[in-house]
Amino acid sequence: MVREPRQDRSRATRRRLLEAAIECLAELGWSGSTVAVVAERAGVSRGAAQHHFPTREDLVTSAVEFVSQERLALLRSHARNLPRGPGRTQAVVDMVEHMYTGTVFRAAIHLWVAASSDERLRERVVGLEAHVGRETHRVALELLGVDESVPGVREAVQATLDMARGLGLANLLTDDSRRRARVLRQWAAMLDAAVVDARC
């Protein structure tokens, strides 16, 4: 029997913990996502979990950052499949919208709520969200193929991200997909007009 190298096992354990933390946070919220619960979901001992992540704050903030970065990398990898011409903006808006209606966003919301009343956690979450926000903005610019030094472009792209986040929040309690689709179609047309002169 060939044994997996220790470093590879450690990486695999860490990844399982991060993915389990996102699932638990999205399903159970902050109060239900203890290290013990996440470790059980990941199929590892609590001691192994605390070896990688000494506190619950370490675990869940690392999980949100890890999965967010993976999703941004995936968006970048899909860039070559985006249509050229008029349909590109709609495709990018749809991709951004998917970021804010999935499990990672739901997990992040629970983290934000917990951070609103926990000063130590808030410090970590504010820094994390600033980093993820900058990266998301950068990826959106890349996918749209626009130059943000052109007046109004930075604000138009940021408005797209802010609107998608708001629509994602509205979707948490009820299925808002039909109304959201209409809003996004209209927004994509407006965004296209706003950035037409900024295409690289």
Side-chain angles (χ1 to χ4, degrees):
M1 180 174 140
V2 178
R3 287 183 59 81
E4 190 180 12
R6 180 178 295 170
Q7 191 174 16
D8 290 344
R9 287 198 309 272
S10 178
R11 270 198 296 266
T13 298
R14 181 181 173 87
R15 185 182 186 95
R16 284 202 313 274
L17 284 164
L18 293 170
E19 291 172 347
I22 290 293
E23 291 172 8
C24 289
L25 201 55
E27 293 171 21
L28 308 172
W30 172 255
S31 61
S33 299
T34 64
V35 173
V37 167
V38 173
E40 184 178 351
R41 174 79 61 103
V44 304
S45 70
R46 181 175 177 162
Q50 289 181 311
H51 169 74
H52 288 279
F53 303 101
T55 68
R56 178 167 60 158
E57 290 83 0
D58 292 329
L59 176 57
V60 295
T61 54
S62 295
V64 171
E65 180 172 23
F66 166 74
V67 179
S68 296
Q69 293 302 328
E70 283 216 327
R71 292 194 64 153
L72 289 172
L74 188 62
L75 285 181
R76 278 193 171 101
S77 75
H78 287 319
R80 61 182 165 274
N81 299 324
L82 288 170
R84 299 280 175 208
R88 187 175 183 91
T89 301
Q90 180 69 59
V92 172
V93 168
D94 290 342
M95 290 175 77
V96 168
E97 179 259 344
H98 288 308
M99 284 188 65
Y100 292 109
T101 54
T103 303
V104 179
F105 182 65
R106 185 175 291 270
I109 291 297
H110 285 292
L111 195 57
W112 296 349
V113 171
S116 69
S117 58
D118 182 327
E119 189 172 337
R120 191 175 66 172
L121 182 60
R122 183 166 58 245
E123 286 178 14
R124 297 186 67 161
V125 172
V126 166
L128 168 63
E129 285 301 317
H131 173 69
V132 171
R134 283 191 302 272
E135 288 301 303
T136 305
H137 187 92
R138 186 174 295 124
V139 170
L141 288 167
E142 285 176 24
L143 296 179
L144 287 166
V146 293
D147 177 2
E148 76 169 328
S149 69
V150 174
V153 168
R154 180 175 180 76
E155 294 76 12
V157 171
Q158 190 58 52
T160 302
L161 300 177
D162 291 344
M163 183 190 65
R165 187 182 297 114
L167 291 171
L169 278 170
N171 193 57
L172 285 175
L173 297 177
T174 59
D175 181 1
D176 198 38
S177 54
R178 291 178 66 186
R179 184 183 73 88
R180 191 169 67 245
R182 291 195 305 271
V183 170
L184 290 171
R185 276 196 304 274
Q186 181 62 34
W187 181 259
M190 294 165 61
L191 179 63
D192 210 30
V195 301
V196 68
D197 294 329
R199 298 283 183 195
C200 298

